[in-house]
Amino acid sequence: IPAFLELSRRTGRERVVWRYDPIFLSETYTLEYHLRYFKVLAEKLAPYTESCTVSFLDLYRNIEKALRLHKIRVPSHEEQLALMGGFSRIAKANGLRLDTCAEEGDFGGYGVGHAHCIDRERLERIGGFRLDVKKDPGQREACGCVSSIDIGAYHTCWNGCIYCYANQGRTVGPDQTGRHDPGSPLLVGKP
């Protein structure tokens, strides 16, 4: 986090978007847990960013078994409303804009909009130029991102998060990490 904060301090709050996701519930990760730690993080990060994007856990087929085993679940609609109400109050108190990533739910009543994580307008404003890009056709319907190239790749993370759809079976193939090229803009391989 120190490198992130220093980068934000030098480049400007509008260039860094804080993500709080995926939001799920379990015996440990309760509504109270999320509200408490969202507040802790918001207070620490507010000087370095102007916005936070949140999203709820997406249920992909390849993670269902692990989620059941660990009693992890997506918050109900009522729980989502409670979280978004609390998050929006915390965000506002810390001068942060709050939006959601690819969520179908409407949280506009709390002042929460839909994100464009790869946001044409933000990139144009920061860069001082116009972009000729359209909505990314490869993303989910509720996604507002414009076309881009993802620097990440499946099966490259060693963290082993049980809710992650990007690593099948929570294992990472050493062949992927061996393909890392420090000179490439991508995590593995070349564009």
Side-chain angles (χ1 to χ4, degrees):
I1 287 194
F4 159 81
L5 297 178
E6 180 55 31
L7 174 67
S8 177
R9 186 182 347 270
R10 286 185 315 210
T11 61
R13 295 175 69 224
E14 74 278 4
R15 295 174 186 245
V16 177
V17 176
W18 164 37
R19 299 267 321 208
Y20 187 87
D21 70 327
I23 301 168
F24 57 84
L25 297 177
S26 70
E27 291 176 5
T28 302
Y29 300 101
T30 62
L31 292 176
E32 294 76 20
Y33 173 95
H34 285 294
L35 291 167
R36 179 172 55 248
Y37 285 102
F38 186 86
K39 182 177 189 290
V40 167
L41 291 169
E43 289 170 352
K44 288 184 181 199
L45 296 174
Y48 308 101
T49 183
E50 62 185 16
S51 64
C52 178
T53 298
V54 301
S55 68
F56 296 101
L57 177 67
D58 290 308
L59 295 176
Y60 294 98
R61 192 171 344 128
N62 63 328
I63 64 170
E64 286 178 352
K65 183 178 177 182
L67 297 180
R68 278 194 310 275
L69 180 66
H70 291 87
K71 299 179 180 153
I72 291 173
R73 65 181 180 82
V74 176
S76 69
H77 179 68
E78 291 75 22
E79 291 166 329
Q80 289 181 15
L81 291 173
L83 285 168
M84 296 310 288
F87 287 176
S88 68
R89 284 188 296 279
I90 294 165
K92 185 176 182 179
N94 287 281
L96 296 167
R97 182 179 59 251
L98 186 65
D99 53 26
T100 61
C101 176
E103 291 296 332
E104 306 266 339
D106 179 10
F107 304 106
Y110 298 112
V112 178
H114 294 285
H116 302 91
C117 302
I118 309 299
D119 184 349
R120 179 183 56 82
E121 291 177 10
R122 179 185 300 123
L123 294 171
E124 288 177 341
R125 186 176 64 251
I126 292 169
F129 49 76
R130 302 281 306 154
L131 292 171
D132 183 20
V133 291
K134 305 221 180 314
K135 181 183 179 328
D136 191 332
Q139 297 296 335
R140 295 169 283 175
E141 185 67 29
C143 176
C145 291
V146 296
S147 291
S148 63
I149 296 174
D150 196 337
I151 64 167
Y154 286 98
H155 313 295
T156 56
C157 178
W158 290 92
N159 287 332
C161 300
I162 58 177
Y163 53 77
C164 182
Y165 63 89
N167 282 337
Q168 294 283 346
R170 296 181 63 195
T171 59
V172 178
D175 60 315
Q176 288 286 44
T177 55
R179 292 178 49 223
H180 174 67
D181 176 359
S184 173
L186 303 180
L187 184 61
V188 294
K190 297 185 185 318

